[in-house]
Amino acid sequence: MTSMLHRSLHTPASWAVVVLAAAAIACGAPDPAADRAGTQVSVRLEDIVVAQAESLSAGPLISGSLMPDRQATLRAEVPGTVVEVLVEPGQSVRAGQLLARLDDVALAEAAVSARAALRTATEVLAVAKRNADRNTRLAAAGAIADRDREQAEVAAMNAEAGLAEATSRLRAAEKQLQKTRFTAPFSGVVSDRSVRAGDVVQSGNPVLTVVDPSALRLEATVPVSALGAVKVGTSATFGVTGAGDRVFEGVVRRVNPVVDQNTGQVRITILVPNGDGQLVGGLFAQGTAAATTRMTLAVPLAALDLRGVTPTVRRIRGGVVESVAVELGLRDESRELIEITKGIAPGDTLLVGGAVGLAIGTRVVVTKE
């Protein structure tokens, strides 16, 4: 039996109906067909269900693991020794917050040297430009040869090239220095810490992982036949492991334009808001997309007998098993429920699972064991 059967039997209303049904079975008037059978069979509470109204959702099944929509793993871009790690896993951080840093003494000295070289290059260029300007005026007055003017102009151009090189070296040194500091790329929560103070890291080694828990994504697949209903913006409902009967909602954000040739399925991405923080990454989710939802009379799929031309259920009335033809409607695959549009009424007691095989006319009594 499904978990839904157990849940329906544990609601106060369902217990009341079950107790009344059991009393009717035990105290009901003898039925001629039952007398002819001459037998009485005990059925457990787990083998019966009371038909009642349920909220059904029919649509393509979806399942998969929830993952943070935004996740960043900070990796070392320069080798070095970890000086300090300022955060722990589970700690909230804000965008730009310093999280960890490497020993930066050598790179800081390189940056200081680059700044000094830039100042020198700036002075050299200034002197070269003054010489070039003076020699240009002197050459125009005929006081010096054109060769001297040209040499001063060349010296000025070389000084400009030297300044550009010094500027580039300083930028590179400062960029390398910045790589010793790890800051949060966005506001979120630290989900993993891979190093401690004193560890030596190489380029590419992971240091910290930051996730944004305010929005999660669910990667799922649907059959090609469902693409007419599943589009960007389509709603989806699902439950998650450990959350009981609570239903969560999301919206289809992407639909893969390529069909998986091995499965014939199309991958979709569902964005799930998580402002209240009730969901965490890694939870398994299962539900439906593009669902038609309504409140209606429903029974577990395990109550159906599909061996004949017309689907039937085994109903207990007056302590005797009878077969009732039913008409079916919405089918909620995720909860293993199906709508009954005709044949039974709310409050009817039905057999489920293996008990569906009991012969028509069999007298039954409900027991707890």
Side-chain angles (χ1 to χ4, degrees):
M1 293 183 63
T2 64
S3 59
M4 177 53 62
L5 298 183
H6 293 291
R7 289 195 295 270
S8 65
L9 288 173
H10 284 78
T11 60
S14 298
W15 267 108
V17 178
V18 170
V19 170
L20 290 175
I25 294 170
C27 302
D31 183 270
D35 289 341
R36 287 194 298 270
T39 59
Q40 181 170 282
V41 176
S42 296
V43 294
R44 300 170 302 172
L45 285 176
E46 289 82 0
D47 294 325
I48 65 173
V49 68
V50 177
Q52 59 185 6
E54 296 278 358
S55 178
L56 298 190
S57 295
L61 286 179
I62 56 173
S63 63
S65 295
L66 292 170
M67 298 301 295
D69 188 46
R70 286 203 299 173
Q71 175 174 312
T73 298
L74 307 182
R75 298 179 180 274
E77 296 184 71
V78 294
T81 302
V82 179
V83 175
E84 60 180 345
V85 180
L86 303 174
V87 292
E88 297 289 340
Q91 182 174 336
S92 297
V93 296
R94 64 183 184 279
Q97 179 179 336
L98 179 64
L99 308 181
R101 65 186 184 90
L102 304 180
D103 182 5
D104 62 358
V105 173
L107 293 177
E109 290 178 351
V112 170
S113 177
R115 290 190 191 95
L118 178 61
R119 288 194 295 270
T120 299
T122 301
E123 292 297 328
V124 169
L125 176 60
V127 172
K129 283 185 175 182
R130 288 195 297 270
N131 288 337
D133 290 342
R134 182 172 58 253
N135 285 357
T136 297
R137 292 193 298 272
L138 291 175
I144 60 173
D146 287 340
R147 181 182 60 186
D148 295 332
R149 176 184 59 78
E150 292 172 354
Q151 288 177 344
E153 290 175 350
V154 170
M157 288 188 293
N158 289 338
E160 287 181 348
L163 178 60
E165 182 179 359
T167 301
S168 178
R169 287 180 178 176
L170 177 58
R171 288 176 180 172
E174 289 178 339
K175 187 174 182 179
Q176 290 294 96
L177 183 60
Q178 290 175 354
K179 291 177 180 178
T180 63
R181 298 167 61 86
F182 300 90
T183 58
F186 48 78
S187 296
V189 177
V190 177
S191 64
D192 185 51
R193 183 188 68 182
S194 304
V195 299
R196 295 183 179 276
D199 290 348
V200 177
V201 297
Q202 302 298 324
S203 296
N205 289 162
V207 177
L208 293 161
T209 299
V210 179
V211 302
D212 179 4
S214 65
L216 304 177
R217 71 175 185 273
L218 172 60
E219 302 284 348
T221 59
V222 296
V224 176
S225 59
L227 290 183
V230 180
K231 303 180 183 297
V232 174
T234 298
S235 63
T237 58
F238 59 90
V240 298
T241 304
D245 293 335
R246 181 172 178 183
V247 176
F248 299 89
E249 296 183 355
V251 177
V252 176
R253 185 172 64 177
R254 290 192 297 271
V255 178
N256 196 313
V258 179
V259 178
D260 188 320
Q261 297 299 318
N262 295 323
T263 64
Q265 302 276 309
V266 177
R267 182 166 292 280
I268 62 174
T269 301
I270 299 169
L271 183 65
V272 182
N274 188 39
D276 58 3
Q278 293 297 307
L279 297 171
V280 295
L283 288 176
F284 181 76
Q286 186 172 16
T288 56
T292 299
T293 303
R294 63 170 173 258
M295 199 73 177
T296 185
L297 180 64
V299 301
L301 293 173
L304 290 181
D305 186 350
L306 302 176
R307 291 174 294 181
V309 176
T310 302
T312 62
V313 295
R314 290 288 197 271
R315 180 171 61 188
I316 302 176
R317 175 164 290 183
V320 179
V321 176
E322 63 180 14
S323 179
V324 181
V326 293
E327 294 183 6
L328 309 178
L330 287 181
R331 184 177 178 127
D332 190 330
E333 297 286 359
S334 65
R335 299 170 62 199
E336 298 185 5
L337 294 175
I338 192 163
E339 178 185 21
I340 303 297
T341 61
K342 187 177 181 180
I344 62 173
D348 282 352
T349 302
L350 309 178
L351 297 174
V352 294
V356 173
L358 287 177
I360 299 171
T362 301
R363 291 182 59 82
V364 296
V365 59
V366 179
T367 64
K368 293 183 179 181
E369 296 297 332

